[in-house]
Amino acid sequence: WFPGHKLLRESYQTLIEQINKKDDLGIIIKPKNPKNLEIRLGKDIYNELITVINKGKCILLIGEKRNIPVSLAALASDLCIHGHALAGTAGLEAALVGCRTIMLNREQVPIPEYLSPIEKNIIFSNLDDTMDGVTEYLENSRKDNNFGNWTDIIDTLDPFRDGKAAYRIGSYINWLIEGYEQGLGKEIIMAD
């Protein structure tokens, strides 16, 4: 289901070009799987990435022993770009900590119904429109308050808003596993 290295390379190349063009633009990159990033990007783009890192215009968040949470990058950012609408969990995590978040949907996957109220403010179908929107938002002194704004739907996605969603999901999954280990049927487990 991975959209492929080509789209990843295009995304990184575009971001690198943008930060090289603009003196006041920097980027924090939090790759899903940093272990083989060099292979997936290819030598040339990876070397360009290292160059902008060495210039101090890019931070690549890579954990040594564990994955760094998306929320860390989001909290340090003015705006987050989620790379693929195929899986929106990172975008949701960024939005949940209050960061304006937009999503790329180059694969043209159907957008989930819960995003429809804010779709026009957060979904972009290509890199050019995405970067135009980002540039306009960041450079305009009269910022579009709707750009990347999830406020209208955020409470339906996480009504607790207490930072403990991972704990609740983990507990839920644990209860499911315990039910299966006890030999209970799925209907009983779900009811419990």
Side-chain angles (χ1 to χ4, degrees):
W1 294 102
F2 177 67
H5 300 314
K6 182 177 185 274
L7 290 180
L8 181 73
R9 289 175 181 151
E10 288 173 1
S11 295
Y12 274 72
Q13 184 68 51
T14 298
L15 292 171
I16 291 167
E17 288 170 4
Q18 291 294 318
I19 60 176
N20 280 330
K21 283 183 195 174
K22 297 176 174 48
D23 290 335
D24 60 346
L25 183 65
I27 189 166
I28 299 170
I29 298 175
K30 196 281 182 208
K32 182 173 182 77
N33 185 3
K35 292 177 186 164
N36 62 1
L37 185 62
E38 183 175 0
I39 293 166
R40 291 182 292 131
L41 288 179
K43 186 177 175 90
D44 292 341
I45 295 173
Y46 187 78
N47 287 339
E48 288 180 46
L49 177 63
I50 297 303
T51 299
V52 294
I53 290 170
N54 290 336
K55 287 180 182 176
K57 297 200 48 130
C58 178
I59 296 171
L60 185 63
L61 291 180
I62 298 175
E64 290 294 320
K65 296 191 179 196
R66 55 187 286 213
N67 205 4
I68 294 174
V70 171
S71 55
L72 179 64
L75 289 168
S77 303
D78 296 314
L79 175 71
C80 290
I81 303 172
H82 180 86
H84 302 283
L86 282 170
T89 54
L92 174 59
E93 187 176 341
L96 284 170
V97 296
C99 187
R100 289 182 184 273
T101 304
I102 59 174
M103 300 176 81
L104 272 167
N105 187 18
R106 290 180 291 178
E107 303 89 356
Q108 302 301 309
V109 298
I111 301 302
E113 187 64 33
Y114 68 86
L115 289 177
S116 62
I118 62 169
E119 180 178 348
K120 68 180 188 309
N121 302 320
I122 67 165
I123 305 292
F124 290 84
S125 61
N126 61 65
L127 280 170
D128 291 335
D129 290 347
T130 302
M131 294 315 300
D132 288 347
V134 167
T135 300
E136 183 177 330
Y137 175 75
L138 293 175
E139 292 179 355
N140 192 337
S141 61
R142 298 183 58 174
K143 297 193 184 321
D144 177 359
N145 193 41
N146 293 319
F147 186 79
N149 188 341
W150 292 50
T151 303
D152 290 347
I153 66 166
I154 204 74
D155 286 337
T156 62
L157 301 174
D158 182 7
F160 298 100
R161 304 293 308 279
D162 60 2
K164 296 181 182 178
Y167 173 76
R168 279 190 293 279
I169 292 168
S171 296
Y172 177 74
I173 291 171
N174 188 50
W175 295 333
L176 294 175
I177 292 169
E178 287 175 356
Y180 281 116
E181 287 174 348
Q182 294 171 13
L184 302 174
K186 63 183 177 182
E187 290 81 12
I188 294 172
I189 294 169
M190 292 301 293
D192 287 349

